[in-house]
């Protein structure tokens, strides 16, 4: 009888195969084919007949061939092992967890699988996927309805947030004007949000510098809040220009002070009150919102003021020694309102 001498296989494992595949099925198949000349007593048992298409040749480093073999031999719940298969390759080709496939078939970490072996796949868990990141919570906001006399800075301060945060949340700049009835979004005190955009330089009106334009905006804003008509605002702008050059002066004729050169001795308020430009503007307009009440008479308190000639309406409030001088500011004040208001 002819004896076949087998040389020991080199102890090498391809890095393309997991550690669990100590003896790949392809090697076992090669040994079985080499022993076909032996007697029946020494021959390797024949591999079970396959019910699927012939096995696809296994080429190391060719995962596409393995995937095709897997796809050919898979049924709904089981898989018949082909030469060259590993648990890892079978599981990954079906999107399953290799450890779950091994556990479902009672295989250990170093277990071998052989061609023709049937593996159960039903109980195998799908390969874990990374959870989707939770959506960022929406920043908490409240709202505030603007009331007469409100300013953005006062609203921000009352809600414990920065002026820039309120401006940014509402698409405003420091030059913006708010009106009674406007609804402002107020970000929460802990919501940093996006940084507020840098405020653009405040626009100036023709013939006015930055300080004068800022005071003109204040006169316009207060007039809007009080519901004063455009003509009334134009009268206030021209009056302030004639009296103080639209500057909040700390001096004047005798004890006159501020934007409208109001006099403490005539009952218009204390020097500190008169030097408050917003308060002095409200006093000039008068009406129901006059901080002085009935102690002084503002524009809205003059009967028929809207039908009076421009200089006469201003003079009715100011009682100036030079009443005709107000007339020169009617047209410029109209332009300032159009540009700034």
């Amino acid at each position: 009888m002819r004896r076949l001498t087998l040389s020991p296989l080199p102890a090498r494992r391809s890095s393309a195969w997991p550690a669990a595949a100590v003896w790949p099925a392809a090697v076992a198949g090669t040994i079985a084919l080499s022993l076909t000349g032996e007697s029946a007593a020494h021959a390797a048992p024949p591999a079970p007949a396959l019910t699927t298409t012939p096995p696809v040749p296994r080429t190391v480093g060719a995962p596409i061939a393995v995937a095709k073999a897997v796809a050919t031999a898979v049924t709904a719940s089981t898989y018949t092992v082909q030469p060259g298969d590993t648990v890892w390759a079978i599981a990954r080709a079906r999107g399953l967890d290799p450890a779950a496939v091994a556990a479902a078939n009672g295989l250990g970490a170093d277990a071998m699988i052989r061609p023709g072996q049937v593996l159960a796949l039903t109980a195998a868990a799908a390969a874990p996927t990374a959870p989707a990141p939770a959506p960022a919570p929406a920043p908490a906001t409240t709202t505030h309805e603007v009331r007469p006399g409100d300013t953005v800075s006062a609203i921000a301060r009352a809600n414990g947030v920065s002026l820039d945060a309120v401006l940014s949340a509402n698409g405003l700049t420091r030059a913006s004007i708010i009106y009674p009835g406007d609804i402002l979004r107020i970000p929460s005190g802990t919501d940093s949000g996006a940084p507020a955009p840098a405020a653009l330089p405040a626009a100036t009106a023709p013939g006015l510098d930055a300080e004068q334009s800022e005071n003109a905006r204040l006169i316009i804003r207060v007039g809007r809040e009080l519901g004063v008509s455009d003509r009334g605002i134009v009268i206030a702008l021209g009056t302030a220009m004639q009296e103080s050059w639209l500057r909040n002066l700390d001096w004047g004729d005798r004890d006159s002070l501020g934007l409208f050169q109001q006099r403490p001795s005539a009952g218009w308020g204390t020097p500190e009150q008169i030097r408050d430009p917003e308060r002095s503007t409200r006093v000039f307009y008068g009406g129901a919102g006059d901080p002085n009440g009935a102690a002084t008479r503002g524009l809205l308190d003059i009967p028929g003021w809207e039908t009076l000639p421009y200089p006469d309406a201003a003079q009715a409030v100011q009682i100036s020694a030079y009443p005709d001088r107000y007339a020169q500011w009617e047209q410029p004040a109209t332009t300032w309102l159009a540009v700034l208001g």
Side-chain angles (χ1 to χ4, degrees):
M1 179 180 296
R2 180 170 58 86
R3 291 186 177 275
L4 177 63
T5 304
L6 298 177
S7 299
L9 293 173
R12 184 179 72 86
R13 178 182 298 142
S14 170
S15 61
W17 295 97
V22 178
W23 285 95
V27 176
T30 302
I31 296 173
L33 291 173
S34 300
L35 296 177
T36 55
E38 291 287 349
S39 63
H42 298 283
L50 300 179
T51 59
T52 62
T53 57
V56 178
R58 175 72 173 98
T59 303
V60 176
I64 295 178
V66 174
K68 288 182 178 179
V70 170
T72 302
V74 170
T75 65
S77 60
T78 61
Y79 173 76
T80 302
V81 177
Q82 305 295 309
D85 279 345
T86 65
V87 172
W88 183 88
I90 295 168
R92 300 309 293 178
R94 294 184 59 87
L96 300 176
D97 184 356
V101 173
N105 290 275
L107 301 175
D110 57 349
M112 293 186 298
I113 58 174
R114 296 178 174 82
Q117 185 175 350
V118 178
L119 299 181
L121 302 177
T122 304
T129 58
T141 59
T142 57
T143 59
H144 175 87
E145 182 175 352
V146 177
R147 297 183 293 272
D150 277 349
T151 63
V152 178
S153 59
I155 294 169
R157 187 165 53 252
N159 286 274
V161 296
S162 70
L163 170 61
D164 285 339
V166 177
L167 292 174
S168 177
N170 293 277
L172 303 174
T173 70
R174 292 175 184 267
S176 299
I177 297 175
I178 58 174
Y179 303 100
D182 287 350
I183 303 298
L184 298 183
R185 292 185 295 276
I186 311 298
S188 68
T190 58
D191 176 32
S192 58
L200 297 175
T204 58
L208 303 182
D209 61 22
E211 178 188 357
Q212 292 171 310
S213 295
E214 187 63 26
N215 287 326
R217 285 191 190 87
L218 182 145
I219 292 171
I220 295 169
R221 174 177 61 79
V222 172
R224 299 289 192 213
E225 292 174 0
L226 295 175
V228 179
S229 67
D230 285 359
R231 177 169 173 77
I233 294 173
V234 168
I235 292 170
L237 289 170
T239 301
M241 187 63 178
Q242 174 60 37
E243 296 291 350
S244 68
W245 303 285
L246 272 170
R247 302 187 191 281
N248 190 22
L249 300 180
D250 59 0
W251 58 274
D253 177 49
R254 289 175 283 186
D255 59 342
S256 299
L257 297 169
L259 283 174
F260 294 92
Q261 289 291 282
Q262 295 158 343
R263 298 177 59 187
S265 62
W268 290 89
T270 67
E272 292 75 17
Q273 290 174 331
I274 293 173
R275 286 270 295 143
D276 179 340
E278 180 160 338
R279 185 184 189 280
S280 66
T281 299
R282 292 181 181 278
V283 169
F284 174 83
Y285 283 125
D290 190 340
N292 284 343
T296 54
R297 189 175 70 162
L299 181 65
L300 301 181
D301 302 315
I302 307 298
W305 67 269
E306 289 189 296
T307 62
L308 294 176
Y310 184 88
D312 293 349
Q315 171 66 4
V317 179
Q318 297 298 108
I319 316 299
S320 169
Y322 308 98
D324 295 337
R325 294 182 180 180
Y326 297 112
Q328 63 182 317
W329 301 114
E330 182 175 5
Q331 186 56 51
T334 302
T335 301
W336 301 336
L337 177 60
V339 172
L340 301 175

